[in-house]
Amino acid sequence: MLRHYLELKSRYPEEIVLYRVGDFYEMFFEDAVRASKLLDIALTSRDKHSPDPVPLCGVPHHSVSSYIARLIGLGRKVVVCDQVEDPRLAQGLVRREVTRVITPGTLLEEEHLEARGNNFLLGLAARGGRFGIAYLDLSTGEFRATEIQEERAATEEVARIDPREVLVAEDLASGSGFATRWRVLEGRCVNVIETARFERSHAEALLREQFGVASLDAFGCDALDPALGAAGTLVAYARATQMTAVGHLARLVPYALSDYMVLDDPTRRNLELTETLREGRREGSLLGVIDRTVSAMGSRTLRRWVLYPLLRPETIMRRLDAVEELLAKRTACTTLRGRLGTLSDMERINARVSAGRATARDLVGLRRSLEAVPTILATLSQLSAAFFAPKDPSGPKPLLGPEGRDPERGDLSEPRLPIDPLPDVASLIARAIVDDPPMNPRDGGFIRPGYHVGLDDLRDLSRHGKGWIAELEARERERTQIASLKIRYNKVFGYYIEITKANLAHVPPEYERRQTLANAERYVTPELKAWETKVLTAEDEAAALERQIFEDVRARVQEASLRIQETAAALARLDAVTALTQVAHEHRYTRPVVDEGDAITIVEGRHPVIERMNLGERFVPNDVHLDRTSHQILILTGPNMAGKSTVLRQTALITLLAQVGSFVPAKSARIGLVDRIFTRVGAADNLARGQSTFMVEMIEAANILHHATRRSLVVLDEIGRGTSTFDGISIAWAIAEHLHARVGARTLFATHYHELTDLARTLPRVRNYHIAVKEWSGQVIFLRKLREGGTSRSYGIEVARLAGLPTDVIARAREVLENLERGELDVSGAPRLAAHPAQREKGATAQLGLFAGATERERPLRDLLRAVDLDTLTPIEALNLLHRLKHEAAPPEAEGESEG
Ligand SMILES: Nc1ncnc2c1ncn2[C@@H]1O[C@H](COP(=O)(O)OP(=O)(O)OP(=O)(O)O)[C@@H](O)[C@H]1O
Ligand SMILES: [Mg+2]
């Protein structure tokens, strides 16, 4: 046996081989050592007396799937080797074969998969200066490909796809610096594959065969080269691991990065689109609020919508129209959601059907889902938005024409919701499979009586056979006058007659003794044996026939694979749109206007997530206006805790939601299309990546300056914070100037360096805003209101005081602050930072007139403070002084409200 094992293991050096022995799956040698650690199970050895015992560990066969799930969860690949003949019938060694190769990226079983997420296997190759990316979810049939010129963008896209497992072409993987540049692959299951397998012609032939088409043109893949190679490699890998056909991989959807809004990794994480930054939880993320889908398929679709916002007003409008109509027609929406909520995960059932791994319960789940479709279609017929238009039955056949393309990408001539109730499939399953099949298929009894005459006869026979045995028992008791005579069954002897010792005298002569027990004897009769053979064969035959019928039904369902897949995808989209409707309804979102203009105008915008949290205070909405003529860069200052980051993020989130085609948390919003959103948070913790925080911050900033366009939305939250103040201010200043002069991107810039408010004095499209607070009897009250104008104070010390820093530390901090602020202006009163050395001679005198406002008012205060001799000041005097200062500082109009 070990020889067979080793021969097999040599084919799977990396994987962990689970080798069926009796009632266990065993692992040997290194696999045993590795697995016992990973699974925390006992490591023993096979022959303890030998000088060099073989390490061994094992798991019981009935719970193997939970162990497999854990190994897969740890990114391992598992090979299952089963006994493929009945050990009772085997001559010599039981024949064993690999029945499955299970890898993280090729899972099909529901228990191993996250219902609301995809499980992507990704292929990666580079050729001719382009990176080819293809990815598929074997559990749903989703299969996409794209090519990207720039390496960093390619890594970003891989991060957005977030694959569980990756196949990389060897030439790419072995290139110098690959591991550093492709950090995104860290922690994923990565397989390096021979470069030759990514060859285009090879891949093309394979894909043509897979899709059953003469040419791939219909898919719009003609321009792809390395991506096509990657796609072909994926299909080959899927086949090899499944060891079956993967017929549900029926189309490849090419896309370009420019089809969707670009959201790089830091942006997705900072905006907490799918999970929170700190804990990685879904709750507290944007999806956590807006994912009100009622089916797993819908949830996956909405997730994709959020990660891939749209760029064309007409496709965005199509979703918005759908939400608007459903909002107006509440009953229709409720009916739809009610029905969609009963759907099984049709995509995943379909995948299991294709891989020959669907159970009877799966088929019943599919049938019940299909039975919900007619009501859904009837409800859709009451709706008129283009999104709901059903498929035109006389339209082009699937896979030809534009249907191979991503239906959401924008071709308006295309049918939107190809929902097919598949009555043939539903009725086939209804006729063939019982309503509630047993959990364990081995129990049999899942084919409905009346579906197959031969099966019914065999079942009759075995049932009557059992009745006959009962009759025989009665007859024999009567005849022998032994009241305790029993006919029983066991695996070794089959049916037998049992007579207690006390009654042995009455045993008829034709009984043949088979076994003697302590107080009974067991007999058979020729008559009994003859019946037994008939009954048992009938049972076995019925079981075999049942399996065969089931496989046949499954094969016929498989023929409808593509129709099921299309219908499932359409239902998923419908679910996503009803979810958006539900959020809009519950949280009072409004319809945004999305146009080609350059303005972003949000009136009374809210942060979708923070407004839902229990803060102990009402959420205060804010207005934000950005455009490219006068409000291109908003510098946002204000005390700590005031709500700067919140305004920044809500603006980005409202923009993103609008382009997803969702209503938005605002009184009104007009969004001039945004091609990319960049958000960067200064000094974000990035220790895990092994780079210094500041280095990361600067890499991110460089990336923005290189990639932002006039259409982008740039959100910078305290960029430059990670270094010394002067360096930080200087860098932030220069970045803002560059964005103003060169890039032209609409930008929100929150900062505590109020020196940056001076930018507005020299740059025409920079505007200062601050978040108002009110000081009242020594307290800072957060008003949360965004107001025009800068602020000269951060109230950082106030916040520190609130946080309980010792009073002497607070007092000293105030002194130091004062010293620092003295140096802010040059002799002429102009902001020192705005000066260009080359222009120094000309001086900043021209700007003197502009110089007024906040600092003007503060001047007497400074003079007062300068006069104080701290060495002689008593505590009482200090308090009095503070009192006076406070009085002086209060602006005349609003009592103590800081307008900066
Ligand atoms: N508009 C608002 N309405 C109600 N509460 C708000 C609002 N904005 C912010 N908050 C509350 O204030 C907290 C702090 O907000 P935020 O992080 O945006 O402040 P910040 O100005 O960025 O502070 P820091 O300068 O320390 O980064 C939020 O977590 C939230 O609880
Ligand atoms: Mg902040």
Side-chain angles (χ1 to χ4, degrees):
M1 191 186 81
L2 270 189
R3 189 160 354 112
H4 176 251
Y5 170 84
L6 286 171
E7 183 266 319
L8 183 147
K9 174 70 196 168
S10 68
R11 281 186 282 143
Y12 299 101
E14 282 175 33
E15 292 81 352
I16 290 183
V17 174
L18 293 170
Y19 198 75
R20 179 75 181 252
V21 182
D23 283 340
F24 283 82
Y25 281 98
E26 303 199 326
M27 289 148 273
F28 307 108
F29 301 104
E30 305 84 54
D31 279 3
V33 178
R34 279 195 290 169
S36 67
K37 282 200 199 106
L38 294 172
L39 297 172
D40 195 19
I41 52 176
L43 180 68
T44 61
S45 53
R46 196 171 144 77
D47 179 9
K48 297 196 181 65
H49 305 299
S50 110
D52 191 13
V54 174
L56 159 93
C57 64
V59 296
H61 77 96
H62 52 81
S63 55
V64 69
S65 87
S66 70
Y67 289 103
I68 294 179
R70 273 163 66 193
L71 289 171
I72 298 296
L74 293 164
R76 299 308 165 116
K77 292 181 277 177
V78 175
V79 170
V80 180
C81 181
D82 272 311
Q83 297 171 335
V84 291
E85 60 182 346
D86 190 332
R88 283 177 301 177
L89 308 174
Q91 296 170 343
L93 212 59
V94 185
R95 210 151 52 80
R96 292 184 176 86
E97 267 172 27
V98 171
T99 49
R100 282 195 68 192
V101 178
I102 309 166
T103 75
T106 58
L107 298 172
L108 287 184
E109 281 75 10
E110 212 117 329
E111 73 253 31
H112 294 161
L113 293 165
E114 203 221 311
R116 292 188 295 190
N118 276 108
N119 196 62
F120 286 125
L121 171 71
L122 182 140
L124 177 65
R127 208 158 35 222
R130 299 170 69 76
F131 292 85
I133 294 176
Y135 60 98
L136 62 83
D137 184 339
L138 204 57
S139 72
T140 66
E142 187 173 339
F143 193 6
R144 290 167 194 263
T146 190
E147 283 186 2
I148 300 170
Q149 199 91 33
E150 205 213 345
E151 190 163 22
R152 163 144 183 154
T155 67
E156 289 290 355
E157 184 59 8
V158 171
R160 168 151 75 172
I161 296 161
D162 192 16
R164 283 285 295 280
E165 185 175 359
V166 182
L167 312 180
V168 192
E170 198 172 2
D171 57 347
L172 176 61
S174 60
S176 78
F178 178 78
T180 330
R181 280 173 301 164
W182 285 82
R183 273 228 171 76
V184 59
L185 299 184
E186 239 171 49
R188 301 176 201 273
C189 175
V190 175
N191 308 272
V192 176
I193 309 267
E194 250 180 292
T195 309
R197 289 178 179 263
F198 286 80
E199 212 212 307
R200 186 188 157 130
S201 60
H202 173 73
E204 241 187 280
L206 188 77
L207 291 171
R208 277 203 305 268
E209 187 218 326
Q210 172 70 26
F211 303 149
V213 294
S215 135
L216 294 178
D217 294 354
F219 297 100
C221 297
D222 354 352
L224 299 183
D225 177 21
L228 213 56
T233 313
L234 291 182
V235 170
Y237 189 79
R239 287 184 187 174
T241 53
Q242 295 307 298
M243 325 198 88
T244 62
V246 281
H248 62 298
L249 297 179
R251 57 165 62 172
L252 177 63
V253 179
Y255 69 100
L257 280 192
S258 55
D259 292 337
Y260 304 99
M261 182 193 279
V262 174
L263 297 164
D264 58 14
D265 193 36
T267 302
R268 280 193 316 273
R269 287 190 294 121
N270 288 327
L271 292 180
E272 305 190 300
L273 296 185
T274 57
E275 57 182 36
T276 57
L277 196 55
R278 273 163 194 249
E279 284 137 350
R281 285 189 319 167
R282 187 184 169 93
E283 197 188 320
S285 70
L286 179 66
L287 263 190
V289 171
I290 68 162
D291 184 1
R292 302 296 308 275
T293 56
V294 290
S295 72
M297 305 181 287
S299 186
R300 292 195 294 268
T301 296
L302 188 61
R303 187 188 153 87
R304 194 178 65 241
W305 284 10
V306 164
L307 289 177
Y308 292 86
L310 302 170
L311 289 182
R312 293 175 49 171
E314 61 273 29
T315 51
I316 296 168
M317 218 92 87
R318 200 162 61 193
R319 288 188 194 162
L320 289 173
D321 288 345
V323 173
E324 181 167 318
E325 184 169 23
L326 282 179
L327 264 180
K329 298 180 179 164
R330 289 293 301 157
T331 7
C333 186
T334 312
T335 313
L336 286 176
R337 286 172 65 78
R339 288 297 155 158
L340 291 165
T342 67
L343 299 182
S344 304
D345 199 330
M346 298 164 69
E347 286 176 324
R348 288 196 165 150
I349 292 178
N350 187 47
R352 289 197 290 275
V353 167
S354 289
R357 216 168 283 130
T359 63
R361 294 181 83 85
D362 281 340
L363 293 193
V364 172
L366 177 61
R367 180 199 112 200
R368 292 196 197 282
S369 305
L370 292 175
E371 284 167 356
V373 171
T375 318
I376 292 174
L377 283 177
T379 313
L380 286 180
S381 70
Q382 305 161 20
L383 304 172
S384 53
F387 183 92
F388 303 115
K391 184 191 180 104
D392 173 7
S394 59
K397 292 265 177 304
L399 303 186
L400 298 173
E403 270 187 284
R405 307 178 74 87
D406 182 351
E408 284 150 32
R409 201 169 60 179
D411 188 342
L412 285 174
S413 65
E414 198 191 335
R416 244 72 61 203
L417 283 179
I419 296 178
D420 179 345
L422 294 127
D424 47 336
V425 176
S427 91
L428 169 69
I429 301 174
R431 275 181 291 126
I433 315 278
V434 298
D435 289 342
D436 191 13
M439 276 296 204
N440 188 346
R442 248 170 290 163
D443 293 346
F446 39 85
I447 301 295
R448 193 188 287 281
Y451 178 69
H452 191 282
V453 185
L455 179 65
D456 290 349
D457 287 351
L458 285 169
R459 280 175 172 169
D460 259 11
L461 194 60
S462 81
R463 203 169 302 133
H464 288 151
K466 281 180 181 158
W468 183 86
I469 299 262
E471 265 167 43
L472 179 71
E473 190 180 64
R475 227 183 322 129
E476 291 295 298
R477 279 182 190 167
E478 180 76 32
R479 185 164 78 92
T480 58
Q481 291 299 307
I482 306 173
S484 62
L485 179 149
K486 280 183 272 185
I487 300 186
R488 289 284 181 271
Y489 175 84
N490 76 20
K491 272 195 182 148
V492 183
F493 294 108
Y495 286 101
Y496 55 83
I497 305 172
E498 189 170 291
I499 313 254
T500 53
K501 288 263 158 86
N503 291 308
L504 288 184
H506 304 285
V507 171
E510 70 274 18
Y511 278 22
E512 299 166 19
R513 194 167 59 221
R514 279 291 156 89
Q515 196 188 12
T516 305
L517 304 179
N519 51 3
E521 300 271 346
R522 290 175 174 175
Y523 301 91
V524 297
T525 68
E527 195 189 11
L528 182 61
K529 282 291 126 178
W531 263 101
E532 179 189 298
T533 320
K534 217 166 160 184
V535 171
L536 289 188
T537 344
E539 265 176 26
D540 282 353
E541 276 176 22
L545 186 56
E546 213 174 338
R547 270 197 301 276
Q548 191 199 320
I549 296 169
F550 178 71
E551 268 163 35
D552 177 60
V553 171
R554 193 164 60 188
R556 282 167 62 195
V557 173
Q558 192 192 329
E559 284 166 21
S561 173
L562 192 60
R563 285 155 69 210
I564 298 173
Q565 202 169 50
E566 278 199 336
T567 297
L571 292 169
R573 268 180 274 151
L574 189 58
D575 190 10
V577 115
T578 66
L580 293 180
T581 309
Q582 193 63 20
V583 200
H585 173 70
E586 280 177 27
H587 305 333
R588 303 177 336 277
Y589 288 8
T590 54
R591 179 178 176 139
V593 177
V594 181
D595 59 23
E596 311 259 8
D598 69 4
I600 293 178
T601 309
I602 297 169
V603 177
E604 295 191 15
R606 284 127 45 204
H607 190 297
V609 181
I610 295 185
E611 74 158 338
R612 302 255 59 86
M613 292 187 193
N614 197 357
L615 296 173
E617 65 178 285
R618 202 174 51 83
F619 189 90
V620 180
N622 270 307
D623 302 346
V624 170
H625 174 81
L626 284 157
D627 60 38
R628 278 195 295 263
T629 43
S630 61
H631 287 70
Q632 186 210 327
I633 299 182
L634 309 189
I635 304 280
L636 191 53
T637 46
N640 289 101
M641 283 289 291
K644 299 182 296 300
S645 302
T646 307
V647 169
L648 255 53
R649 283 182 178 72
Q650 85 191 28
T651 306
L653 288 173
I654 287 171
T655 304
L656 180 129
L657 279 174
Q659 292 189 213
V660 164
S662 167
F663 279 27
V664 298
K667 189 168 173 207
S668 73
R670 172 178 289 273
I671 307 294
L673 276 170
V674 166
D675 65 348
R676 295 158 179 245
I677 297 180
F678 292 95
T679 47
R680 293 298 184 273
V681 178
D685 204 1
N686 224 332
L687 288 176
R689 290 234 203 153
Q691 279 165 317
S692 99
T693 39
F694 185 65
M695 184 64 185
V696 173
E697 206 179 308
M698 288 302 105
I699 292 174
E700 303 299 6
N703 187 41
I704 297 182
L705 298 187
H706 287 133
H707 294 101
T709 73
R710 287 166 48 77
R711 287 230 78 96
S712 305
L713 174 63
V714 176
V715 171
L716 302 173
D717 198 348
E718 298 188 38
I719 273 298
R721 187 171 66 170
T723 184
S724 78
T725 308
F726 282 3
D727 282 5
I729 294 174
S730 321
I731 291 170
W733 186 284
I735 287 176
E737 280 186 344
H738 185 88
L739 284 168
H740 187 267
R742 300 279 168 76
V743 180
R746 290 157 291 182
T747 304
L748 287 165
F749 200 148
T751 183
H752 283 291
Y753 300 141
H754 28 84
E755 290 83 350
L756 294 187
T757 57
D758 291 338
L759 278 164
R761 299 179 197 286
T762 50
L763 304 180
R765 294 186 301 281
V766 174
R767 285 283 177 282
N768 286 327
Y769 281 82
H770 70 280
I771 300 201
V773 295
K774 183 178 163 114
E775 281 179 82
W776 195 73
S777 59
Q779 304 275 337
V780 180
I781 298 172
F782 298 113
L783 299 179
R784 314 275 181 220
K785 258 312 184 203
L786 192 63
R787 302 251 167 96
E788 186 121 34
T791 171
S792 57
R793 292 191 59 192
S794 274
Y795 295 85
I797 298 181
E798 258 72 14
V799 173
R801 190 177 57 77
L802 286 178
L805 233 58
T807 34
D808 51 341
V809 174
I810 298 291
R812 179 64 187 144
R814 289 209 168 101
E815 286 171 18
V816 176
L817 178 66
E818 173 62 18
N819 292 341
L820 286 173
E821 284 180 342
R822 230 177 271 153
E824 209 172 275
L825 307 171
D826 64 18
V827 278
S828 65
R832 288 178 186 278
L833 294 168
H836 285 284
Q839 296 166 5
R840 195 167 286 151
E841 288 87 291
K842 279 187 250 160
T845 38
Q847 284 158 22
L848 201 56
L850 283 171
F851 194 59
T855 32
E856 200 71 82
R857 218 168 52 218
E858 287 171 5
R859 212 156 274 165
L861 297 181
R862 289 186 185 183
D863 295 339
L864 188 68
L865 275 170
R866 261 176 214 149
V868 177
D869 182 3
L870 288 174
D871 291 329
T872 59
L873 199 69
T874 69
I876 293 289
E877 281 168 349
L879 257 184
N880 285 335
L881 174 71
L882 197 61
H883 201 81
R884 182 158 159 224
L885 282 172
K886 222 177 127 47
H887 184 76
E888 298 268 4
E893 63 284 6
E895 44 129 12
E897 188 174 323
S898 155
E899 291 280 351

